[in-house]
Amino acid sequence: LNPTVRLDEYTGFGRTTNPKVSLRYAPSDKFLVRSTYSTGFRVPTFKQMFDPTTRTTYAGNDFPDPALGTNGVITPTAPAVKPDILGGGKADLQPEDAVMYSAGVVFAPNKHISGNIDWWSVERDGQVQILSLTQLARNYDLFKDRFLRDTAGNLLAVDTRWLNSGETVTKGLEFGLRGDTDALKGKISGGFDLSYLLEKKSRLLANAPFGASEVGQWTRSGDLGIRIKHTAFISYRKGNWTGMVHQIYRGGYVDQ
């Protein structure tokens, strides 16, 4: 059992303490159980915090005030509006938080072959991201504070700057296999590693429902959510010479 603690201090954010606990149990030299738990964080970049605020007039067509509840439809009682759009950095951003788990087994029935199976989970909260004007409008009840109004309730501007929003849960399995044997007056070795994404889902706020599965889907963060990835190799070694064939596979995804 190996407990550790990491203490970080950042100007403008103060301190953050993140533990990591790992457990390793090997009842024999042929079998191993391992597990980890840890927390982590990511501080926003200087650019995300301190880019100058920009103000531009909405240049699109047919944007109704979402407070009128017309689901984006222009009506006589919900005419199109031309609010200012605020962009740039936001100085009050907070760090992203994460909680990570993993558990697995390693087996080696003899000295020539070994394998592993591991399960992992990453839960990220308060992600630093930018939501589009359409996303803010469609989720108006969650982001009312982003729609700036005068005392009469008229929409003046929409704040589309960076924000801490959302939670993402990602889980997967990792498989590995290694082996070698003496053959052809040399040594032949091979290996195979496979990553299988079990689950990937997100929501805009902690009190909002999770959206549809994002496995195999492109997201605004640039994560492709590929379901299956694997690498494989086979090599032959004799004396000072080695040759290898290496193969990589990545599953597909649906683009935006």
Side-chain angles (χ1 to χ4, degrees), residues 29-185:
D29 57 2
K30 297 181 179 180
F31 186 74
L32 166 71
V33 178
R34 59 189 180 188
S35 179
T36 62
Y37 164 82
S38 63
T39 65
F41 80 109
R42 185 180 75 84
V43 170
T45 66
F46 188 89
K47 182 178 178 63
Q48 290 169 338
M49 293 185 64
F50 299 117
D51 258 4
T53 299
T54 61
R55 180 183 288 265
T56 58
T57 301
Y58 174 71
N61 297 318
D62 301 340
F63 180 73
D65 186 340
L68 300 178
T70 62
N71 294 321
V73 178
I74 302 297
T75 68
T77 58
V81 291
K82 297 284 185 180
D84 287 344
I85 307 299
L86 302 183
K90 208 161 188 303
D92 61 353
L93 289 173
Q94 298 300 309
E96 296 182 0
D97 296 317
V99 179
M100 294 153 282
Y101 309 87
S102 71
V105 297
V106 182
F107 51 89
N110 57 60
K111 65 179 182 179
H112 296 290
I113 188 170
S114 64
N116 69 277
I117 303 175
D118 292 277
W119 168 88
W120 55 265
S121 171
V122 179
E123 300 175 7
R124 295 170 58 195
D125 190 29
Q127 291 176 259
V128 178
Q129 59 181 317
I130 284 182
L131 300 182
S132 67
L133 182 61
T134 300
Q135 286 179 304
L136 293 171
R138 287 177 177 173
N139 297 277
Y140 177 74
D141 290 340
L142 301 177
F143 299 105
K144 289 182 180 180
D145 60 323
R146 288 274 163 159
F147 293 80
L148 312 180
R149 303 176 182 277
D150 61 17
T151 55
N154 298 311
L155 181 61
L156 300 178
V158 182
D159 187 351
T160 64
R161 294 177 294 173
W162 295 92
L163 75 163
N164 289 102
S165 174
E167 178 183 358
T168 299
V169 176
T170 311
K171 300 178 181 179
L173 290 174
E174 305 288 336
F175 302 89
L177 189 64
R178 294 285 185 276
D180 63 70
T181 185
D182 296 325
L184 304 176
K185 299 182 180 180

Side-chain angles (χ1 to χ4, degrees), residues 179-199:
D180 63 70
T181 185
D182 296 325
L184 304 176
K185 299 182 180 180
K187 183 176 288 292
I188 296 176
S189 302
F192 178 81
D193 293 293
L194 183 143
S195 176
Y196 186 83
L197 196 60
L198 293 172
E199 180 181 31

